[in-house]
Amino acid sequence: MTETVKNTTHAQLIIGDKQYQLPILKGSQGDKAIDISRLHKETGLFTYDIGSKNSATCSSSITYLDGNKGILRYRGYDIEDLAEKCLFIEVAYLLIHNKLPNREELEDFRILLEEYALLHEDMIHFFDHFPPNASPMAILSVMVNSLANYYPEMGGDPLLNINDTAGRLISKIRTIAAFSYKKSIGHPLVYPRNDLSYCGNFLNMMFDTPVRPYTVQPEVVAAMNKLLILHADHEQNCSTSAVRLVGSAGVNLYASISAGINALWGPLHGGANEAVIQMLEAIHRDGNDYKKYVAKAKDKNDPFRLSGFGHRVYRTYDPRGTIIKKACDGILAVMNVSDPLLEIAQNLEEIARNDDYFISRNLYPNVDFYSGIIYRAIGIPTDMFTVMFALGRLPGWIAQWKEMREDPATKIVRPRQIYTGEQARIFQPLGERF
Ligand code: CMC
């Protein structure tokens, strides 16, 4: 538990004729939560909270999010400032070290990332054994998990080498992602180059070919930096919770991050950016009949949802979505791209924003609604969108894992359940069963 959590007052719980005092904890921004850590011991009862909608599972000093006001801050800095004025690697440093790097620290971090950019050559053979249309998210999680075998420095005290491991992961994930793309299209691998920036290096590994050299454009690098920053952390979302949960069992950082990648893959989470483009393409093929899709999303008998809309915490605009929407026009102009999907997205948003179904449920475009349009414009294939999200989220996962491991209050995550199955049954040997 971080020191900013204070026990301010108590809530009273009355069960039958017994009364219990439950401490109310208060965070540094005034968030309050009832501390039920002694509830079962004292009352014999658990709480029931599907999807952890009402439960804080840890205290954290990394990201602050006010879902009603649309505020997002990393380590106290507004997302708007960071997205506008920083490089992704500065933000990665900030999340992990709780301070923006000065020039010297940034240079050291950049050199660390350069040093670790290559993959162990043996690992490159792994790529040959995936089927050609394998999901890049599956490849990413397998490769990241395998890093633990090649770089076993986490075997002892995992916090001892955490800065090295963090650098290794942040650097190598980009090489793995680009190599998986090259393999999927049957092109030769392009190795990392230390003369390029973090994002420039990735783009070059993705798009350079022996027959057509790639020119790294500063505007594209800037757009990628912005997108990665916007995705870099988002407190206790599904994938971050997966990283913490798996890490709470004492497993190494690589395995924990691999679990996070798998959670992110889901269309309700990071996979939504891919789902948005698929939805917009379907609407385009359907004669741009977006009203039909809004009606489908509202129909309780239809499982369809508007991808890129809604959020567990935001009850207003997702501030990341606002920044991305603004950036869209700029990057499309620079790339000289006119994407019909942008207009469909804008129309869909307009209709949904004036529709009572969406208004009454506080459903607004989230970070994934417009990000895919930028990724398309810079040439990233749709099935790599969630990989891009993972590249961005990685420093957040690392910071959260580190915080969890450093926190003396951490315990293995082991939720309870309400059993609804059979009562004790009499066992029947095989021959006596019907
Ligand atoms: N389209 C239509 N209806 C929706 C949508 C949507 N996208 N999202 C929520 N609703 C409705 C839902 O049917 C429910 O209605 P009712 O109260 O009548 O039953 C109400 O809004 C509340 O929804 P919920 O499912 O209880 O909310 P949740 O907090 O459990 O789910 C969510 C949040 C993000 C999973 C959900 O809004 C959703 O499925 N959105 C589409 C997928 C998406 O864009 N995911 C990316 C989220 S942001 C980035 C990230 O986390 O990676």
Side-chain angles (χ1 to χ4, degrees):
M1 193 179 291
T2 55
E3 55 195 14
T4 47
V5 174
K6 295 200 173 61
N7 173 356
T8 51
T9 169
H10 286 81
Q12 279 185 6
L13 175 69
I14 299 169
I15 303 171
D17 56 0
K18 288 208 169 134
Q19 200 169 304
Y20 304 90
Q21 302 284 324
L22 301 173
I24 294 181
L25 306 177
K26 194 172 170 193
S28 57
Q29 290 279 331
D31 292 343
K32 287 185 185 165
I34 300 172
D35 178 358
I36 56 159
S37 50
R38 295 185 57 79
L39 185 74
H40 183 248
K41 206 168 190 177
E42 291 180 7
T43 68
L45 297 176
F46 303 121
T47 56
Y48 182 61
D49 184 22
I50 290 184
S52 290
K53 276 198 168 192
N54 305 282
S55 299
T57 52
C58 62
S59 59
S60 176
S61 60
I62 302 170
T63 288
Y64 175 68
L65 199 170
D66 183 329
N68 293 322
K69 296 188 184 143
I71 294 173
L72 175 62
R73 291 189 199 122
Y74 299 160
R75 300 286 194 185
Y77 295 103
D78 282 334
I79 190 67
E80 289 79 6
D81 281 338
L82 296 173
E84 187 62 35
K85 298 167 192 159
C86 281
L87 292 173
F88 170 63
I89 63 167
E90 281 178 89
V91 173
Y93 188 100
L94 166 71
L95 287 167
I96 295 167
H97 297 282
N98 190 18
K99 98 182 261 295
L100 278 167
N102 58 31
R103 271 184 213 289
E104 204 184 328
E105 287 161 338
L106 185 61
E107 182 58 9
D108 287 349
F109 191 48
R110 198 185 56 73
I111 291 169
L112 184 77
L113 298 182
E114 275 179 7
E115 266 175 31
Y116 288 139
L118 284 174
L119 271 190
H120 192 296
E121 279 291 305
D122 289 355
M123 288 190 77
I124 291 169
H125 301 302
F126 289 15
F127 291 105
D128 295 333
H129 302 286
F130 290 100
N133 54 359
S135 160
M137 285 301 275
I139 299 177
L140 194 69
S141 87
V142 167
M143 297 299 282
V144 166
N145 206 10
S146 307
L147 287 173
N149 297 324
Y150 287 88
Y151 307 100
E153 78 283 353
M154 294 224 105
D157 176 356
L159 293 174
L160 214 58
N161 296 306
I162 182 71
N163 291 344
D164 262 8
T165 308
R168 223 175 232 134
L169 265 165
I170 293 171
S171 187
K172 289 189 196 305
I173 196 170
R174 165 189 70 149
T175 314
I176 294 171
F179 282 12
S180 70
Y181 171 61
K182 286 293 194 192
K183 281 283 175 187
S184 76
I185 55 169
H187 282 189
L189 304 181
V190 175
Y191 278 71
R193 273 178 35 196
N194 282 358
D195 58 319
L196 295 173
S197 66
Y198 184 85
C199 293
N201 213 338
F202 171 76
L203 292 163
N204 190 63
M205 282 191 275
M206 284 285 288
F207 301 124
D208 189 55
T209 78
V211 289
R212 191 166 356 109
Y214 178 73
T215 310
V216 178
Q217 283 179 268
E219 296 86 354
V220 177
V221 169
M224 182 173 160
N225 260 298
K226 198 182 282 268
L227 285 170
L228 295 190
I229 291 170
L230 293 174
H231 285 99
D233 196 52
H234 212 236
E235 49 125 291
Q236 306 312 315
N237 56 84
C238 180
S239 56
T240 302
S241 300
V243 169
R244 278 185 176 259
L245 183 142
V246 170
S248 79
V251 77
N252 65 70
L253 179 62
Y254 299 113
S256 309
I257 299 292
S258 180
I261 292 168
N262 285 320
L264 189 74
W265 192 356
L268 296 186
H269 189 16
N273 53 15
E274 192 178 333
V276 169
I277 293 297
Q278 283 158 354
M279 175 184 79
L280 296 175
E281 283 172 343
I283 298 175
H284 192 42
R285 282 193 301 273
D286 217 355
N288 291 347
D289 190 359
Y290 30 84
K291 287 186 187 153
K292 179 169 129 193
Y293 287 81
V294 171
K296 268 166 77 65
K298 288 161 59 176
D299 182 353
K300 283 282 154 214
N301 299 314
D302 190 328
F304 175 79
R305 282 185 165 194
L306 277 193
S307 289
F309 261 80
H311 195 273
R312 171 62 61 83
V313 186
Y314 291 118
R315 292 291 159 258
T316 179
Y317 247 95
D318 179 337
R320 304 166 301 172
T322 312
I323 298 171
I324 292 180
K325 189 180 173 188
K326 264 193 220 149
C328 254
D329 288 335
I331 189 72
L332 260 57
V334 167
M335 301 302 291
N336 206 11
V337 169
S338 145
D339 190 339
L341 299 195
L342 178 60
E343 200 187 324
I344 296 175
Q346 284 165 338
N347 286 333
L348 208 54
E349 182 191 339
E350 188 60 27
I351 291 187
R353 281 187 57 201
N354 291 304
D355 187 301
D356 191 51
Y357 175 94
F358 293 88
I359 297 169
S360 62
R361 289 171 180 75
N362 297 308
L363 300 172
Y364 294 87
N366 59 47
V367 68
D368 292 317
F369 195 62
Y370 287 103
S371 63
I373 295 189
I374 299 190
Y375 283 135
R376 262 163 73 92
I378 63 181
I380 308 282
T382 313
D383 67 353
M384 287 286 290
F385 288 0
T386 314
V387 170
M388 302 303 293
F389 193 153
L391 257 62
R393 185 55 53 89
L394 180 61
W397 286 333
I398 295 171
Q400 299 270 354
W401 188 92
K402 182 169 173 254
E403 182 178 68
M404 182 234 359
R405 291 298 292 253
E406 284 171 348
D407 186 346
T410 293
K411 293 203 180 299
I412 185 168
V413 178
R414 202 304 186 185
R416 305 302 290 251
Q417 63 166 17
I418 297 178
Y419 177 69
T420 57
E422 300 285 349
Q423 303 282 350
R425 296 204 268 187
I426 310 245
F427 179 80
Q428 290 149 330
L430 185 59
E432 293 172 24
R433 292 175 212 156
F434 296 104

